[in-house]
Amino acid sequence: QVQVVESGGGAVQAGGSLNLSCAVSAFTFPSNCVGWFRQAPGKEREGIASIQTVGRHTKYADSVKGRFTISQDDAKNTFYLHMSSLKPEDTAMYYCAAATRTYCSSVRISSADFRSWGQGTQVTVSS
């Protein structure tokens, strides 16, 4: 199981941008999946983006498609979520998660598919 640490959350006005980072301890196999999730108070955890470490195939939830971008820096073993055109409804605790020795699902971004989780970082978007 790998260790996952998120950073970069904060407060921003609607229309602004934020970059989240996710540092992952070294993967021992080349094929892994890293996902970003968020959970607002009183709501279920939502999978919003995933990236396959081999091939860098990405997937996004409709709620963030076109506004958020997931990427990876192999040298730093760090994954990023660039968020732009932020809306108040993007306010949530954001979590990074990793699944090792596997490929990302092509049909879903589900918390059930990930075993290693970070502690979360808060993002607050004001109107």
Side-chain angles (χ1 to χ4, degrees):
Q1 201 164 353
V2 296
Q3 305 301 313
V4 178
V5 180
E6 308 98 334
S7 61
V12 65
Q13 289 191 328
S17 299
L18 272 178
N19 292 313
L20 305 183
S21 298
C22 173
V24 181
S25 60
F27 289 119
T28 56
F29 287 81
S31 180
N32 308 278
C33 180
V34 172
W36 283 98
F37 294 78
R38 66 185 183 186
Q39 188 166 18
K43 294 189 176 181
E44 292 187 356
R45 187 168 294 187
E46 175 190 18
I48 55 174
S50 66
I51 186 166
Q52 179 65 43
T53 56
V54 172
R56 304 197 179 194
H57 302 295
T58 58
K59 182 173 178 62
Y60 298 93
D62 289 343
S63 58
V64 305
K65 197 173 294 182
R67 301 187 298 122
F68 291 11
T69 302
I70 188 171
S71 62
Q72 67 184 69
D73 183 329
D74 292 334
K76 297 181 180 180
N77 232 36
T78 299
F79 298 80
Y80 303 96
L81 185 69
H82 175 65
M83 307 183 294
S84 62
S85 302
L86 283 162
K87 306 174 183 179
E89 51 263 44
D90 293 318
T91 295
M93 185 70 78
Y94 283 70
Y95 298 90
C96 181
T100 59
R101 308 185 190 186
T102 188
Y103 291 92
C104 293
S105 170
S106 61
V107 297
R108 68 180 191 178
I109 308 170
S110 171
S111 57
D113 295 335
F114 295 83
R115 293 192 63 185
S116 301
W117 290 81
Q119 79 288 352
T121 185
Q122 178 68 36
V123 172
T124 302
V125 184
S126 59
S127 57

